[in-house]
Amino acid sequence: MATARWPCLVLALLSGLAASGFPRSPYRLLEKRSLPEGAVNGIEVYSTKITCKVTSRFAHNVVTTRAVNRAENAQEVFFDVDLPKTAFITNFTLTIDGVTYPGNIKEKEVAKKQYEKAVSQGKTAGLVKASGRKLEKFTVSVNVAAGSKVTFELTYEELLKRRQGKYEMYLKVQPKQLVRDFEIEVDIFEPQGLSMLDAQASFITNDLLGSALTKSFSGKKGHVSFKPSLDQQRSCPTCTDSLLNGDFTITYDVNRESPANVQIVNGYFVHFFAPQGLPVVPKNVVFVIDISGSMSGRKIQQTREALLKILDDVKEDDYLNFILFSGGVTTWKDHLVQATPENLQEARAFVRKIGVDGMTNINDGLLTGITVLNEARKEHRVPERSTSIVIMLTDGDANTGESRPEKIQENVRNAIGGKFPLYNLGFGNNLNYNFLETMALQNHGLARRIYEDSDASLQLQGFYEEVANPLLMDVEVQYPENAILDLTQNTYQHFYDGSEIVVAGRLLDEEMNSFKADVKGQGAINDLTFTEEVDVKEMEKALQEQGYIFGDFIERLWAYLTIEQLLEKRKNAHGEEKENLTAQALDLSLKYHFVTPLTSMVVTKPEDNEDQAAIADKPGEGTPLTPSRSWMVGYQHPQTSHYNYVDGDPHFIIRVPEKEDAICFNIDEAPGTVLRLVQDPVTGLTVNGQIIGDKTASPDSKARRTYFGRLGIAHTHLDFRVEVTPEKITLWNGAAQSIFSWLDTVTITQDGLSVTINRKKNMLVSFGEGVTFLIVLHQVWKQPPGHQDFLGFYVVDSHRMSAQTHGLLGQFFHPFDFEVSDIRPGSDPSKLDATMVVKSHRLVVTRGSQKDYRKDANGTKVVCWFVHNNGEGLIDGVHTDYIIPALF
Ligand SMILES: *[C@@H]1O[C@H](CO)[C@@H](O)[C@H](O)[C@H]1NC(C)=O
Ligand SMILES: *[C@@H]1O[C@H](CO)[C@@H](O)[C@H](O)[C@H]1NC(C)=O
Ligand SMILES: *[C@@H]1O[C@H](CO)[C@@H](O)[C@H](O)[C@H]1NC(C)=O
């Protein structure tokens, strides 16, 4: 049976406890000869495994280390793990000679008493403390008897946040000795499919890792494995120390064909939103920079360097200004100025000359910056559709002017009035970070620490890049009323390119069949509403079939996000509100077994009621940027029977409601040809279509099948264009371009214009009341090879188009008449021929039918009189008159 002395153990997260340099062992002088290679002070760590399972950004990591005491007396065994600051520990167990001591989550106060008791009895404490920029260190030690084995198992979970286009997971690798079985195994499952996956070790180049590192991904799954042999771990061929010491980083991203993705399991849902291809919203940026005496030397030099680099990235549509503060305030310009090349040149000269002196008047610096932005808006100096941000950098606390932190916060809050975010960058450690963080959170922004190091200017630039490209403003995610409970944050001031909005919640009715979410936001040019609709049962089934890596992860993801947001809100709350937030966060932490700042983990001896220990506080930073929200709008088929269209091969169908009949014709032209479909010189609208052919081009033009593969709609008066292909939809407003995919369900509105894409089905383009077009996407089986997707074009409403409208379809928008007579069996006896008099021509026509795909992919049959020879006699002129050189 175990001879280990009861492990003296407290897992404590003690904030600010700067315990450094843990002694590895009290016994430094040990005979080495009887010990296996790599053992340090008699302790052989023979196995270390890090297993990570990531499902839909939610990472579940287990670190297991096994060791044996080969010394002749009891030894202290240490277990260190560096985990991300944003992670929550969820479990810790200790197994000594086969006996497992499980960890239990307790409210911090309760745990603290046990912890104090343990400490007073001379027992050692486990600690979590800050360790570097992104990590914190969990350390625990136990006393293990000679010959005994010990296993440590730590589990932590976190939601990976998307930044600058990727998710990153850090694993600190630092075994301190050669380990016989060393292994990192990462499995990633992302229902959207992976678009890239990489793994890098900071301590060695990937070439040298050779067979030790494998990484692969395909479809929804990715895998990374790192298994260095003993020889591969050596710092040199004859060395017995380990070269494994540093960061092991896994980065990946998912496919972004669809702007949103919803997953529902067991009544919990998560909604990811990150649209691509939208133009950037112009920014009005005020940099408020501390130039007090303490910034002198390297800090101000790095700040200048960063600002110069940032100026290289500023876009011409942006507006900017610099406010410098020390004891007083200096402004570069009286007003915000546009980032023209001349102004940027001047700004660079200004930045190069920034010097330092004096005290720190944060209050006046910030208020000046905010006033500049408020005035620019009031005096219409900046574009209507633009977004404002304040970026403040300081390295110390306010010590002149208004220096009471609460008063400064109040002034800033009142001046900003919720209109734009404030980002506070704290340079170095010599400042009240909580003050900066609270103030930023009060103004929809966030705080970041800039570490005093050689890369400080890169850190500053990196932060700027995250906020440099807002794609949407005032984002709100909406779900049907009375369908959702316990929603996490669903409104965001901005969605920044490269980030992602994540909203989670619970379904009121678990048996719900269809789930719909709208994300609304203001883009650079138009208002957008993205709609995501999912069939709940179908999705659950698909997820089950694909074998989700761990079952209740969406519920845990929801709990993680909820706790994170409650804790964030709590930083900024007082009195009863704070108590309520605390109570809610505590309940959830206990229920879901998360070690948060409100809870601790206590490791207990199973047969003993004497609890032994507690856990940790988190240094409060590193909150990533969370983006804004998203949207979608449903589309209703306009009810009208009067419409013309072209679809299929291309078949033109002209409905003549007065006759309750229709006329049809084909245009047989070579792939590549562009045809004018609609042109109205009065409203400025044109629609053109380009023909594509099946890829297996038949030399016989009669047998060749052709379709419309590209459609271009242009409105010259609005300076608006849209190009549609079966792959994507591109919108131009003047020079600004937005790209959407057929996987989007989105409505874009602006000045009476509205474009609605209905995922994989169709697209409605409406120029106010009276002009509405529908484009239908035909997705075909790719077998036999050569078949291609194509488009159909339907004029749903044209009553506001002028009498001068022309084009292959446009000429039929005006009422016209025809007479059919002498109906008789045709040259093909299964069909009827007739004589048609139309536009003063006498034509032989054949009864046929075509399909109308407005409502669904199966189509409904429409009977029509077919006019032969490319519509000759029916259309004005000949069909080649409608051939034009280019889509626009
Ligand atoms: C903690 O880990 C131990 C060992 O793997 C396991 O038996 C136990 O069920 C875990 N506890 C929780 C709450 O997950
Ligand atoms: C706190 O919670 C109680 C009970 O749920 C509620 O009545 C009260 O209004 C809450 N107070 C605040 C400030 O949210
Ligand atoms: C198309 O027809 C098939 C077979 O009749 C049917 O199962 C399917 O539901 C139809 N699709 C639509 C969209 O109506």
Side-chain angles (χ1 to χ4, degrees), residues 259 529-532 631-633 743-747 757-759:
T529 302
F530 287 89
T531 303
E532 188 68 17
W631 5 257
M632 109 163 182
V633 158
L743 295 173
D744 294 340
T745 297
V746 57
T747 298
I757 302 165
N758 289 297
R759 183 182 160 85

Side-chain angles (χ1 to χ4, degrees), residues 162-314:
R162 188 163 182 256
R163 275 190 197 170
Q164 296 182 28
K166 54 187 192 280
Y167 307 94
E168 254 176 350
M169 186 157 80
Y170 292 94
L171 301 169
K172 182 78 161 260
V173 173
Q174 206 175 5
K176 298 189 186 90
Q177 56 173 259
L178 301 178
V179 178
R180 210 164 60 213
D181 286 321
F182 184 93
E183 184 176 342
I184 297 177
E185 287 286 333
V186 182
D187 281 296
I188 301 176
F189 179 83
E190 285 291 348
Q192 283 158 286
L194 285 123
S195 62
M196 68 95 149
L197 171 69
D198 196 14
Q200 303 271 349
S202 66
F203 42 87
I204 186 168
T205 62
N206 281 6
D207 317 343
L208 290 174
L209 285 173
S211 57
L213 175 69
T214 60
K215 49 191 178 185
S216 62
F217 71 96
S218 141
K220 298 171 194 227
K221 293 188 177 162
H223 183 76
V224 173
S225 155
F226 177 51
K227 246 189 221 181
S229 66
L230 272 181
D231 282 344
Q232 285 170 320
Q233 291 175 41
R234 289 177 209 282
S235 61
C236 76
T238 54
C239 296
T240 54
D241 60 331
S242 179
L243 92 96
L244 308 186
N245 182 4
D247 293 334
F248 189 79
T249 312
I250 294 128
T251 48
Y252 75 93
D253 198 15
V254 304
N255 288 326
R256 300 282 163 194
E257 288 144 0
S258 177
N261 179 260
V262 173
Q263 291 161 46
I264 305 174
V265 174
N266 298 335
Y268 285 84
F269 75 88
V270 59
H271 182 180
F272 299 103
F273 177 76
Q276 306 289 294
L278 301 177
V280 175
V281 178
K283 292 187 303 301
N284 313 311
V285 194
V286 169
F287 296 93
V288 179
I289 308 289
D290 182 348
I291 55 159
S292 63
S294 58
M295 284 285 290
S296 70
R298 188 161 79 153
K299 278 196 250 176
I300 196 70
Q301 190 193 323
Q302 289 173 325
T303 304
R304 282 194 297 253
E305 228 170 83
L307 290 175
L308 288 172
K309 284 271 169 34
I310 288 170
L311 284 171
D312 290 343
D313 292 342
V314 169

Side-chain angles (χ1 to χ4, degrees), residues 90-93 100 102-103 153 155 593:
T90 61
N91 201 358
F92 177 74
T93 61
T100 297
E153 187 186 284
T155 308
H593 225 246

Side-chain angles (χ1 to χ4, degrees), residues 760-777:
K760 292 189 185 173
K761 281 194 199 114
N762 57 35
M763 179 181 146
L764 199 64
V765 182
S766 178
F767 296 89
E769 209 211 317
V771 183
T772 300
F773 305 133
L774 180 75
I775 294 162
V776 172
L777 173 68

Side-chain angles (χ1 to χ4, degrees), residues 421-494:
L422 167 66
Y423 297 110
N424 284 333
L425 305 178
F427 203 158
N429 284 313
N430 192 18
L431 44 76
N432 180 351
Y433 190 81
N434 282 344
F435 158 69
L436 294 181
E437 186 176 41
T438 304
M439 184 159 62
L441 291 173
Q442 287 172 346
N443 295 288
H444 304 288
L446 57 85
R448 272 291 165 76
R449 199 187 282 284
I450 303 296
Y451 294 88
E452 261 189 90
D453 209 335
S454 55
D455 69 343
S457 75
L458 281 175
Q459 297 173 51
L460 282 165
Q461 282 170 53
F463 172 79
Y464 181 76
E465 275 164 33
E466 282 181 50
V467 298
N469 296 307
L471 301 185
L472 292 170
M473 304 177 282
D474 293 329
V475 183
E476 184 176 356
V477 188
Q478 298 172 335
Y479 302 93
E481 261 176 64
N482 307 323
I484 299 298
L485 292 171
D486 301 332
L487 199 60
T488 60
Q489 185 182 345
N490 68 330
T491 60
Y492 294 90
Q493 273 194 332
H494 291 111

Side-chain angles (χ1 to χ4, degrees), residues 264 267 482-485 506-513 536-537:
I264 305 174
N482 307 323
I484 299 298
L485 292 171
R506 208 146 67 76
L507 304 186
L508 185 61
D509 171 14
E510 271 197 46
E511 301 304 309
M512 184 173 189
N513 289 323
V536 177
K537 293 278 161 306

Side-chain angles (χ1 to χ4, degrees), residues 626-873:
T626 350
S628 341
R629 28 170 178 144
S630 52
W631 5 257
M632 109 163 182
V633 158
Y635 138 66
Q636 305 206 320
H637 284 280
Q639 294 305 311
T640 162
S641 60
H642 185 166
Y643 62 93
N644 300 326
Y645 67 92
V646 53
D647 208 336
D649 197 8
H651 308 295
F652 289 76
I653 316 291
I654 314 301
R655 308 261 285 194
V656 188
E658 299 79 14
K659 298 255 180 225
E660 293 182 346
D661 208 342
I663 306 178
C664 45
F665 59 96
N666 290 356
I667 297 288
D668 184 26
E669 265 302 331
T673 308
V674 180
L675 295 172
R676 173 140 285 163
L677 305 180
V678 178
Q679 182 178 33
D680 178 3
V682 177
T683 57
L685 260 172
T686 57
V687 182
N688 301 320
Q690 183 168 38
I691 288 173
I692 54 168
D694 268 355
K695 282 187 183 141
T696 48
S698 160
D700 171 12
S701 80
K702 285 269 176 282
R704 183 175 58 205
R705 293 177 68 80
T706 52
Y707 307 93
F708 278 120
R710 251 170 103 218
L711 288 167
I713 302 175
H715 196 299
T716 49
H717 301 355
L718 293 177
D719 200 8
F720 169 85
R721 279 185 298 156
V722 54
E723 178 181 323
V724 188
T725 70
E727 287 76 46
K728 65 177 185 199
I729 295 135
T730 312
L731 262 55
W732 286 272
N733 265 86
Q737 171 186 295
S738 316
I739 298 173
F740 299 89
S741 110
W742 277 108
L743 295 173
D744 294 340
T745 297
V746 57
T747 298
I748 303 116
T749 52
Q750 161 208 351
D751 309 331
L753 169 86
S754 126
V755 176
T756 297
I757 302 165
N758 289 297
R759 183 182 160 85
K760 292 189 185 173
K761 281 194 199 114
N762 57 35
M763 179 181 146
L764 199 64
V765 182
S766 178
F767 296 89
E769 209 211 317
V771 183
T772 300
F773 305 133
L774 180 75
I775 294 162
V776 172
L777 173 68
H778 292 276
Q779 289 189 303
V780 300
W781 292 104
K782 296 291 189 273
Q783 291 299 329
H787 280 199
Q788 292 195 71
D789 295 347
F790 63 96
L791 304 169
F793 177 76
Y794 294 74
V795 179
V796 184
D797 188 353
S798 60
H799 79 264
R800 289 289 273 274
M801 296 192 66
S802 84
Q804 294 174 46
T805 306
H806 212 266
L808 280 169
L809 282 172
Q811 63 188 287
F812 300 106
F813 292 176
H814 338 297
F816 74 102
D817 202 7
F818 66 90
E819 289 297 338
V820 174
S821 57
D822 190 18
I823 300 173
R824 57 198 183 256
S827 47
D828 173 351
S830 67
K831 290 185 177 158
L832 294 175
D833 275 358
T835 302
M836 175 184 286
V837 177
V838 61
K839 293 188 178 171
S840 327
H841 295 111
R842 179 174 289 266
L843 311 172
V844 175
V845 293
T846 303
R847 198 63 169 160
S849 73
Q850 297 299 343
K851 283 205 163 175
D852 174 344
Y853 297 96
R854 273 187 316 155
K855 297 232 164 60
D856 65 56
N858 289 336
T860 45
K861 201 165 147 182
V862 176
V863 287
C864 57
W865 290 108
F866 184 75
V867 179
H868 300 265
N869 299 331
N870 294 310
E872 195 179 298

Side-chain angles (χ1 to χ4, degrees), residues 537-549:
K537 293 278 161 306
E538 212 167 83
M539 187 185 49
E540 290 208 34
K541 201 166 137 245
L543 292 178
Q544 271 161 15
E545 279 166 7
Q546 280 152 357
Y548 248 64
I549 298 174

